[in-house]
Amino acid sequence: MPCIVRAPTVEELPALSALCFRSKAVWGYDSDFMEACRRELTIEPCDLRSSSIAVAEENGKIVGVAQIKVIGSEADLLKLFVEPTTLRGGVGRTLFVWATDQATSRGADRLVIEADPDAAPFYRRMGAEDCGLAPSASIPGRMLPKLVKALRST
Ligand SMILES: CC(C)(COP(=O)(O)OP(=O)(O)OC[C@H]1O[C@@H](n2cnc3c(N)ncnc32)[C@H](O)[C@@H]1OP(=O)(O)O)[C@@H](O)C(=O)NCCC(=O)NCCS
């Protein structure tokens, strides 16, 4: 069954936030760390207006979610989370391609990623290049790998 990429409905947002939380937890963080990240892992109805969000669906089940925000020529990858039972099955790549296509069509020339350290090798595999570190929005003092993917011009 092919993976379908589509926009989510507002009713699906609580389930998507739960997916993000489950997905982030695959790296083995403790419960205090995860609680500190909960707000950043939550998708609110207003995010449907202020950003672009897509879900990946397989066999009628949502297996991943991605969110980007474009400001001028820069797109930020705000979320990319795959259901833990579906890791390494190509869903991350499918949603990353959606993110780069969406960013390009909205006029961006680069996609900037502040990555979980364990996810950084995936982004390098997708062609992103390291460009320093960025402070975590959830954990004071924690620095995250920052990567950038150059986008083709349309
Ligand atoms: C990072 C993540 C989105 C990757 O999704 P995925 O569906 O497992 O990735 P895919 O199966 O599409 O992998 C695409 C390629 O990247 C490679 N890859 C995937 N995850 C990797 C990792 N952690 N380290 C190194 N390579 C990785 C795959 O082997 C595959 O390589 P190939 O081109 O040789 O086939 C997924 O691991 C995830 O959701 N992690 C938990 C949440 C998280 O940290 N998200 C990122 C927040 S910044």
Side-chain angles (χ1 to χ4, degrees):
M1 189 68 133
C3 182
I4 296 165
V5 177
R6 63 166 174 82
T9 65
V10 69
E11 291 78 19
E12 288 173 323
L13 299 186
L16 295 183
S17 300
L19 188 160
C20 292
F21 196 87
R22 279 196 302 281
S23 179
K24 178 85 174 176
V26 298
W27 305 128
Y29 296 120
D30 66 26
S31 56
D32 287 349
F33 182 101
M34 288 304 304
E35 280 309 322
C37 295
R38 187 179 288 279
R39 184 162 173 211
E40 205 181 351
L41 297 170
T42 299
I43 304 176
E44 305 283 0
C46 60
D47 294 326
L48 292 173
R49 292 187 296 277
S50 63
S51 63
S52 301
I53 303 176
V55 297
E57 186 180 296
E58 280 180 357
N59 302 314
K61 184 174 181 292
I62 292 176
V63 290
V65 59
Q67 178 187 20
I68 67 162
K69 184 162 191 158
V70 180
I71 298 176
S73 57
E74 181 172 305
D76 289 324
L77 184 67
L78 301 180
K79 289 184 182 61
L80 176 48
F81 290 100
V82 173
E83 183 66 59
T85 53
T86 318
L87 292 175
R88 300 287 182 128
V91 174
R93 180 195 296 278
T94 297
L95 285 170
F96 189 82
V97 169
W98 170 83
T100 55
D101 287 351
Q102 183 73 13
T104 303
S105 71
R106 288 174 177 263
D109 62 17
R110 61 195 183 279
L111 179 68
V112 175
I113 306 142
E114 294 175 7
D116 186 285
D118 284 307
F122 161 79
Y123 293 116
R124 293 183 192 115
R125 183 80 185 126
M126 297 297 101
E129 293 182 357
D130 288 87
C131 64
L133 298 171
S136 162
S138 299
I139 311 287
R142 185 175 198 238
M143 299 302 287
L144 300 175
K146 185 173 177 179
L147 300 100
V148 63
K149 166 80 176 174
L151 303 174
R152 67 183 189 287
S153 53
T154 47

